[in-house]
Amino acid sequence: MSSRAQKLLFLDRDGVINRDSSNFIKHPDECVPIPGRLQPITRATRAGFRSVVVTNQSGLGRGLFDLDTLHAIHAKMLAAVRASGGSIDCVMFCPHRAEDQCQCRKPAPGLLLEACQRLHVEPATTTLIGDKLSDMQAIGAIGGRGILVQTGERMVPENVRLSLAPAPDMVPDLAAAVDRLIAEAAARAETETH
């Protein structure tokens, strides 16, 4: 298995990269990066990680915004990441409402599995950085690693986090998660050369 395959990073969008809103992000102007959250993506890119954003966007299914608006929101986010020197390979989204019971809406693993298939990556080698229980359940369903950040609006209680198997790591924010992953990758590389 190549080290490139071992470095696929899934990123949740709302609450991880940009500010979350209980009223949904319905316009590009409402997609505001959390301060300091673009630089970690740049560091991950420079360290050889490939990034894929995986996001539930039920506002589309609810008719709160249209597909063109969602694409404009993502274009703004991708441009900001590029301007900071980072890269996101693709953005994958579920347009369904929870009651639609689809297989792509997190906590279902459909988005993650589709990304792994498209990018020819073994699911168990991936990591997802997210802020919600559904993120951790989705990555757990494919055997990957979850890292829970504490920047979203709906914090996951510690007892719930510890009940997951395996329990995801918990860190303050995206920067801390990326720093941990880069340090671990460097330690692995050092071990492999000795």
Side-chain angles (χ1 to χ4, degrees):
M1 188 178 317
S2 74
S3 60
R4 184 169 170 83
Q6 295 172 356
K7 291 187 175 186
L8 179 62
L9 184 58
F10 290 117
L11 301 170
D12 180 47
R13 191 190 83 179
D14 302 330
V16 176
I17 300 172
N18 60 265
R19 295 187 191 280
D20 202 352
S21 171
S22 57
N23 294 319
F24 299 89
I25 305 298
K26 302 179 292 297
H27 188 275
D29 292 344
E30 297 172 359
C31 184
V32 178
I34 298 171
R37 295 311 172 260
L38 299 181
Q39 293 82 1
I41 298 172
T42 300
R43 289 199 309 275
T45 300
R46 291 179 179 157
F49 286 85
R50 299 167 71 190
S51 297
V52 173
V53 172
V54 287
T55 179
N56 290 345
Q57 292 299 316
S58 67
L60 197 58
R62 296 169 194 265
L64 300 176
F65 50 84
D66 61 21
L67 193 56
D68 288 340
T69 301
L70 183 61
H71 288 319
I73 290 167
H74 289 156
K76 177 184 176 182
M77 176 188 67
L78 293 171
V81 169
R82 278 192 304 276
S84 75
S87 176
I88 292 176
D89 285 39
C90 65
V91 178
M92 301 189 68
F93 62 90
C94 169
H96 305 107
R97 301 166 302 164
E99 55 267 29
D100 295 333
Q101 299 183 348
C102 65
Q103 292 304 305
C104 56
R105 181 178 172 81
K106 296 175 291 182
L111 286 180
L112 282 64
L113 290 171
E114 184 178 344
C116 288
Q117 184 177 27
R118 283 186 188 184
L119 298 173
H120 310 288
V121 172
E122 179 60 40
T125 66
T126 64
T127 299
L128 188 149
I129 301 173
D131 66 320
K132 297 176 188 69
L133 178 60
S134 59
D135 297 321
M136 300 302 104
Q137 291 169 321
I139 192 67
I142 68 168
R145 175 184 182 185
I147 300 180
L148 191 61
V149 297
Q150 299 173 296
T151 51
E153 287 197 339
R154 295 173 286 259
M155 293 294 295
V156 176
E158 181 69 356
N159 64 325
V160 173
R161 179 184 76 86
L162 293 174
S163 72
L164 297 172
D169 298 332
M170 185 181 292
V171 297
D173 54 26
L174 180 58
V178 168
D179 288 347
R180 180 175 290 188
L181 291 170
I182 291 172
E184 290 171 356
R188 276 194 307 273
E190 179 71 20
T191 302
E192 290 169 3
T193 59
H194 290 351

